[in-house]
Amino acid sequence: MVRLFIDNKEIEAEAGTPLLQVCLSNDIYVPNLCYLEGTKPQASCRLCFVEIEGEDRPVTSCTVEVRDNMVVKTDTEAVRRLQRTALRFLLSTHHVKCKECPANKKCELQRLAKFLKVGLRPKNLDRHLKETETDKSHPVFNYYPNRCILCGRCIHACKREHGKALLTFAKRGIDTVISFYGEEDMSRLPGEKCIACVEVCPVKAITLK
Amino acid sequence: MTEEIHQLFNAIREEAEKRRNAFREAPVPKIHIGMATCGIASGAIETKKAFEEALAEQNIEAQIHTVGCVGHCYAEPIVIIDHPASGFPPVFYHEVTAGKAKMLTKLFLAEGDPRFEHVYGATEENELIPSVMEFPRFNQEKRVVMEKCGRIDPEDIYDYIAESGYSSLVKALQLKPEEIIREVQESGLRGRGGAGFPTGRKWELARQARGENKIIICNADEGDPGAYMDRTILESNPHQVLEGMILCAYAVGAGNATVYVRAEYPLAVKTVTRAIQQAKELRLLGKGILGTDFDLEINVFRGSGAFVCGEETALIQSIEGHRGTPQHRPPYPVERGLRGQPTVINNVKTLASVPQILNHGAAWYRSIGTESSPGTAIFSVVGSVVHPGLVEIPMGVTLRTLIFDICGGIPNKKKFKAVQIGGPSGGCLPADFLDTPIDFDSLTEAGAMMGSGGMVVMDEDSCVVDVSRYFLDFTQKESCGKCTFCRVGTYHLLSILERLTKGEGKEGDLEQLENLSLDIKNGSLCGLGKTAPNPVLTSLRYFRDEYEAHVSEKRCPGKICRALTAFYIDLDKCARGCDICGGCCPVDAVFSTKNRKKAIDQTRCVKCGECKVACPPDYQAVKKVSPPSLAPFIERPPKI
Ligand SMILES: Cc1cc2nc3c(=O)[nH]c(=O)nc-3n(C[C@H](O)[C@H](O)[C@H](O)COP(=O)(O)O)c2cc1C
């Protein structure tokens, strides 16, 4: 066990636990999207920044293991600035049509926007949407590229479930999407038995057909 | 043990010397032809064929010696003819086309006339022909890494050995690994892959790391646009790189090594693969190196050419068969790298420096360059310079010396405007910085970066906003898409820059560029995103007025951005009846005015500039202006 201080609160935790996990377990909310308990932290959504005494700039808390006497601040100006920019970036590529979206009111983006006080339609940033609104190529699932925030939780949940992921990131840069490898052969897929990817998606970008 | 090493190696060296002497002493002329990718692209294969045919036709005996690249891109194909019987020293010829090759065979080889009008210089001091060493391009360079490039045949291991190749390995095998690491540490060698991390320290960490199967990787991904140092070295002297890798493996205790080369470098792949084979045949590599119990296998991995795969963690992912995406560090590869093993990743130039350091000693290496950046820097200098190419200089030489003395300055009497250093991660420095010494720390301080050695020189006819747009377009396309800041952030930078170059800039755009850039730097996962805003930040810092001109006046000071420029014809200069411009216009935008002069229909003009090129020098009537409103309006008469 180690003892550390998060936002002036003294906290005990198992040594080696990711700091983000410790914050969340102690009711200290740190914005996050790509973190999935029990899988290797990807540090890709770039939201879970915190400041740690001794480090000169904010660090992602999912990649830091708690140490004794660590002093952590989750609510500093530098942290919020990065989180807000990251969220605004995500929203600028997100089709904000909440009323028509099955994730409405359960959506992590809505939660984050409220927590960070960021408008759902960020000003000053061009909106970039992908051409395909719904990718129906998979026999079981539909995929919505303009909802997807590319956190990769689906990929890692799938890998956790099956040993290897049946979906992947594809393409690069702003065109990056999730792909099912083009697999259409039902005999090679778990079918509706496994919906791990659907369940972990924070924005309902993958749904059952 | 020591004795066996010497015995085995002496036999190899004797063989190398025997071959070298046989070549040297053969009473026939020698023709050295540069056959690296750059030479081949300029026609070296045809040149070689022309020599072979001409020699056969005229029944002349001569030896053709294919070598790598000497770095003088502007002069390719390069041929050095050593014809002692003529009484002349070895002569350096530039731009030797097939025709020139035939002519030189007849006139120089057969008749003894070196054709002075084609001579670039002699490669040795002599009384007859000025030596190339009189040119700054030759005498101000300091060759450590590229010392043998262009002098030896990269396909012949004996050629390398005859020039004392692999002698540092012999030395090293008699030292303790720790002693080698100490020597490298004392030399102050810093990684040439961009970040300048102390190489000795990296090796020490890897040596101390726990792991059964430590691994060495030579990073030859080289994805910066316009950079080709690593390719040239691998194509011109692969053994020096291999020797560096073997020394590294011995020092850290690794048994496996990989050369990670991009597949777009087929000649480099072929040359290195052959070199590995040859080294194995001589027991300089493989099982029981030079009779010791030190084993090392080196293989070649062909990368698929993603820029981000040069980043060490992405590189490891790609070797493991995954998508090439960077991973959070720590753990660093020296602790847990390829397949979980401690892995040293070094750049080609870093590794190729090590044999020289061990041969000549750390003190010698430290005597070159500066206190904090010992050794040499290799740049591929391109853009507006008279003598573009690869240049190896001691660290600490100023940008001015490099650009104006060594590379011959700016052609066509244009003015210097800026130099972009370090590729897409680097920065753009203005004339005020020409006296900055080239070393890791000075460049970083100025806002640029050593990077891996790309340098683009720009004259007054260039636009820094457009250059930033170019680099951001590159980084956005090469972003792996994993992390939010790089994937989306570089997209927004690019879209603002695109707007500026199209004349659609708005108030607040520049502040937005700055703010987003800072967040992308601080928020990104890997070096690609962290450095992607550098071209924007430095050019905004040093050329803010040019950005402002784009936003508020819709004017491009360099007259490059098409939407912000226009061509018109100065009627006072235009010659009545001349139709050269009209003849070359691809879109029929040039029309005749009432007095049989010419004018440009702005609604049709696509601003290709052909008319400006075509207009005879006596008139120079076609003008380019920015903003476009400066072009006087002349109405096109209706078609009859
Ligand atoms: C986007 C990106 C691309 C890179 N490309 C290369 C490359 O092409 N070659 C290289 O040697 N290092 C490259 N690096 C640096 C490597 O990650 C690593 O630091 C280097 O290979 C270490 O070698 P050194 O210590 O000899 O410099 C790149 C880094 C980043 C962030």
Side-chain angles (χ1 to χ4, degrees):
Chain A
M1 285 303 246
V2 297
R3 200 177 44 108
L4 67 158
F5 301 88
I6 307 178
D7 294 341
N8 298 322
K9 208 163 117 187
E10 190 177 327
I11 284 167
E12 281 208 347
E14 195 81 46
T17 319
L19 175 57
L20 174 61
Q21 184 66 55
V22 172
C23 292
L24 297 176
S25 313
N26 285 280
D27 281 336
I28 298 167
Y29 179 64
V30 174
N32 70 91
L33 283 170
C34 68
Y35 182 68
L36 190 61
E37 218 182 317
T39 62
K40 183 184 158 200
Q42 294 303 308
S44 65
C45 72
R46 315 306 290 170
L47 279 163
C48 69
F49 285 108
V50 297
E51 283 197 67
I52 299 176
E53 214 172 82
E55 312 239 3
D56 53 5
R57 61 178 64 163
V59 293
T60 45
S61 58
C62 66
T63 52
V64 176
E65 296 181 350
V66 288
R67 290 185 308 268
D68 224 358
N69 293 324
M70 209 175 211
V71 179
V72 181
K73 294 226 159 26
T74 70
D75 185 16
T76 69
E77 206 176 312
V79 163
R80 293 299 182 227
R81 173 175 170 155
L82 286 177
Q83 289 170 334
R84 289 195 178 108
T85 303
L87 179 60
R88 277 156 31 88
F89 281 161
L90 292 175
L91 287 166
S92 73
T93 58
H94 184 75
H95 206 162
V96 183
K97 281 199 299 190
C98 300
K99 286 211 183 92
E100 295 162 38
C101 178
N104 195 13
K105 306 229 164 75
K106 299 179 286 276
C107 173
E108 277 296 317
L109 283 180
Q110 289 175 332
R111 175 183 183 187
L112 286 166
K114 198 166 156 205
F115 181 81
L116 292 170
K117 301 187 187 69
V118 169
L120 285 172
R121 290 185 178 75
K123 282 183 247 99
N124 294 333
L125 289 181
D126 299 342
R127 182 163 301 272
H128 178 85
L129 294 178
K130 298 186 173 96
E131 268 173 32
T132 312
E133 199 58 44
T134 315
D135 172 356
K136 298 180 177 159
S137 61
H138 191 270
V140 184
F141 304 120
N142 280 341
Y143 170 63
Y144 300 85
N146 288 327
R147 284 186 201 157
C148 178
I149 43 153
L150 297 163
C151 65
R153 284 165 65 99
C154 50
I155 296 172
H156 298 101
C158 185
K159 192 167 172 197
R160 190 168 62 179
E161 216 60 42
H162 302 284
K164 76 172 207 264
L166 302 171
L167 14 63
T168 178
F169 288 112
K171 302 192 184 168
R172 285 194 272 180
I174 198 75
D175 298 326
T176 311
V177 285
I178 299 287
S179 152
F180 295 99
Y181 290 105
E183 184 63 85
E184 290 171 13
D185 181 355
M186 274 303 292
S187 67
R188 296 160 62 108
L189 292 167
E192 294 180 23
K193 284 199 297 289
C194 178
I195 53 163
C197 55
V198 176
E199 282 173 339
V200 297
C201 180
V203 291
K204 294 234 187 311
I206 301 179
T207 59
L208 264 176
K209 276 206 157 100
Chain B
M1 189 84 272
T2 307
E3 207 152 289
E4 194 181 347
I5 298 171
H6 278 291
Q7 234 172 29
L8 278 167
F9 190 69
N10 282 344
I12 297 171
R13 188 155 49 200
E14 271 162 30
E15 177 64 24
E17 272 157 19
K18 203 172 88 197
R19 290 174 186 225
R20 165 61 58 95
N21 291 340
F23 174 76
R24 284 225 174 114
E25 286 155 17
V28 297
K30 281 103 198 165
I31 305 167
H32 308 269
I33 308 178
M35 298 278 283
T37 295
C38 43
I40 290 175
S42 315
I45 290 182
E46 291 75 22
T47 303
K48 176 164 173 262
K49 199 157 147 252
F51 272 116
E52 284 163 351
E53 283 169 7
L55 291 170
E57 269 164 28
Q58 297 169 53
N59 225 346
I60 303 170
E61 253 198 88
Q63 288 186 340
I64 291 180
H65 185 224
T66 52
V67 295
C69 167
V70 278
H72 297 248
C73 301
Y74 61 92
E76 296 285 359
I78 292 169
V79 172
I80 294 173
I81 300 183
D82 182 6
H83 185 14
S86 70
F88 288 103
V91 184
F92 185 113
Y93 293 96
H94 61 115
E95 294 169 69
V96 183
T97 55
K100 228 187 219 182
K102 295 213 153 139
M103 178 274 289
L104 288 172
T105 309
K106 180 163 182 290
L107 299 181
F108 188 25
L109 293 177
E111 297 168 15
D113 173 4
R115 306 306 297 173
F116 285 101
E117 71 274 29
H118 293 294
V119 168
Y120 200 75
T123 62
E124 288 168 9
E125 290 302 325
N126 68 95
E127 311 262 283
L128 300 168
I129 299 176
S131 155
V132 290
M133 287 312 282
E134 288 171 25
F135 300 117
R137 186 69 169 76
F138 288 77
N139 65 28
Q140 301 217 3
E141 280 201 52
K142 170 77 196 170
R143 298 223 161 180
V144 172
V145 172
M146 293 181 54
E147 185 198 25
K148 302 181 180 65
C149 291
R151 288 180 25 198
I152 59 171
D153 181 349
E155 299 196 353
D156 182 359
I157 190 170
Y158 286 114
D159 233 18
Y160 178 62
I161 294 169
E163 299 243 356
S164 72
Y166 286 106
S167 55
S168 76
L169 174 63
V170 173
K171 210 167 171 181
L173 289 175
Q174 299 164 63
L175 296 172
K176 288 206 195 69
E178 290 79 6
E179 292 175 297
I180 297 171
I181 293 177
R182 196 172 326 127
E183 192 77 14
V184 175
Q185 269 177 335
E186 276 168 15
S187 76
L189 174 64
R190 296 173 66 174
R192 278 2 187 206
F197 189 83
T199 306
R201 176 85 190 119
K202 192 182 270 186
W203 292 15
E204 189 182 35
L205 289 170
R207 170 132 202 110
Q208 288 162 354
R210 248 179 292 170
E212 289 292 300
N213 303 298
K214 295 180 186 172
I215 295 167
I216 310 299
I217 297 174
C218 169
N219 189 345
D221 188 58
E222 196 169 46
D224 293 33
Y228 48 91
M229 302 75 60
D230 297 348
R231 183 195 74 208
T232 301
I233 294 164
L234 286 177
E235 287 176 357
S236 305
N237 187 2
H239 286 288
Q240 192 165 325
V241 182
L242 294 182
E243 189 176 0
M245 291 176 76
I246 303 170
L247 296 170
C248 175
Y250 180 73
V252 307
N256 278 292
T258 295
V259 186
Y260 188 100
V261 205
R262 49 179 29 224
E264 290 98 323
Y265 284 179
L267 183 58
V269 170
K270 191 175 131 218
T271 313
V272 179
T273 307
R274 183 188 303 236
I276 292 172
Q277 195 50 41
Q278 291 179 345
K280 276 178 97 157
E281 279 161 17
L282 297 184
R283 287 181 73 187
L284 298 163
L285 197 59
K287 262 203 133 25
I289 291 175
L290 286 176
T292 64
D293 54 9
F294 167 44
D295 307 334
L296 178 67
E297 293 298 331
I298 300 186
N299 57 46
V300 176
F301 186 94
R302 275 178 295 168
S304 306
F307 172 58
V308 73
C309 286
E311 194 282 335
E312 53 189 27
T313 59
L315 184 150
I316 288 173
Q317 290 282 310
S318 97
I319 297 181
E320 289 178 350
H322 305 297
R323 195 175 149 87
T325 50
Q327 307 296 303
H328 180 83
R329 297 179 310 179
Y332 287 89
V334 281
E335 305 157 58
R336 216 172 327 134
L338 185 58
R339 293 182 272 278
Q341 292 298 319
T343 304
V344 173
I345 301 180
N346 274 136
N347 174 259
V348 172
K349 298 174 285 288
T350 315
L351 290 164
S353 301
V354 178
Q356 297 281 41
I357 292 172
L358 284 193
N359 260 337
H360 302 286
W364 165 84
Y365 192 74
R366 270 207 173 279
S367 73
I368 307 163
T370 67
E371 178 62 32
S372 65
S373 304
T376 56
I378 302 183
F379 282 103
S380 50
V381 186
V382 298
S384 298
V385 283
V386 174
H387 295 148
L390 278 193
V391 188
E392 183 168 7
I393 44 162
M395 292 271 190
V397 164
T398 64
L399 286 167
R400 188 186 302 282
T401 306
L402 175 59
I403 296 168
F404 288 91
D405 299 342
I406 302 178
C407 293
I410 318 291
N412 306 322
K413 302 204 178 97
K414 298 271 182 195
K415 274 217 300 278
F416 170 89
K417 175 164 182 177
V419 53
Q420 154 76 29
I421 310 169
S425 326
C428 205
L429 301 181
D432 295 348
F433 283 79
L434 278 172
D435 292 312
T436 308
I438 297 171
D439 63 64
F440 286 105
D441 309 314
S442 306
L443 289 182
T444 308
E445 207 175 297
M449 181 169 149
M450 192 70 128
S452 56
M455 182 176 288
V456 187
V457 180
M458 290 177 260
D459 65 25
E460 54 196 297
D461 293 341
S462 52
C463 169
V464 290
V465 182
D466 189 58
V467 170
S468 294
R469 184 204 53 77
Y470 168 81
F471 281 116
L472 262 297
D473 183 58
F474 178 82
T475 35
Q476 161 58 212
K477 286 197 176 111
E478 294 292 335
S479 163
C480 78
K482 176 173 173 175
C483 93
T484 307
F485 282 94
C486 181
R487 180 183 70 241
V488 188
T490 56
Y491 169 82
H492 285 300
L493 292 184
L494 174 62
S495 79
I496 296 172
L497 291 166
E498 276 176 347
R499 276 213 319 269
L500 298 186
T501 57
K502 285 188 198 145
E504 295 160 13
K506 323 186 278 251
E507 205 180 314
D509 272 349
L510 304 190
E511 292 70 23
Q512 176 86 329
L513 275 178
E514 261 166 346
N515 285 328
L516 295 183
S517 290
L518 289 177
D519 288 346
I520 296 166
K521 262 178 102 80
N522 289 328
S524 290
L525 169 64
C526 88
L528 196 157
K530 282 184 207 293
T531 58
N534 284 352
V536 183
L537 284 173
T538 52
S539 58
L540 257 174
R541 186 154 126 205
Y542 300 126
F543 297 94
R544 198 172 183 102
D545 52 335
E546 292 208 8
Y547 277 85
E548 276 164 2
H550 280 73
V551 178
S552 47
E553 300 167 50
K554 311 292 177 226
R555 177 171 67 88
C556 173
K559 297 189 197 130
I560 292 297
C561 299
R562 273 192 189 198
L564 303 184
T565 54
F567 290 88
Y568 77 94
I569 292 170
D570 183 346
L571 292 176
D572 292 338
K573 296 197 166 169
C574 181
R576 212 177 296 268
C578 167
D579 189 32
I580 293 180
C581 54
C584 70
C585 178
V587 291
D588 215 11
V590 176
F591 62 90
S592 291
T593 61
K594 279 184 221 107
N595 54 2
R596 291 175 50 234
K597 293 194 173 185
K598 292 284 177 288
I600 294 174
D601 180 348
Q602 300 295 345
T603 60
R604 286 199 164 202
C605 176
V606 290
K607 304 174 189 179
C608 64
E610 284 295 313
C611 50
K612 190 165 191 291
V613 176
C615 183
D618 283 351
Y619 310 144
Q620 293 187 27
V622 181
K623 305 288 174 202
K624 190 179 186 184
V625 287
S626 177
S629 57
L630 291 182
F633 177 74
I634 298 171
E635 194 168 0
R636 184 171 196 155
K639 274 228 163 78
I640 314 154

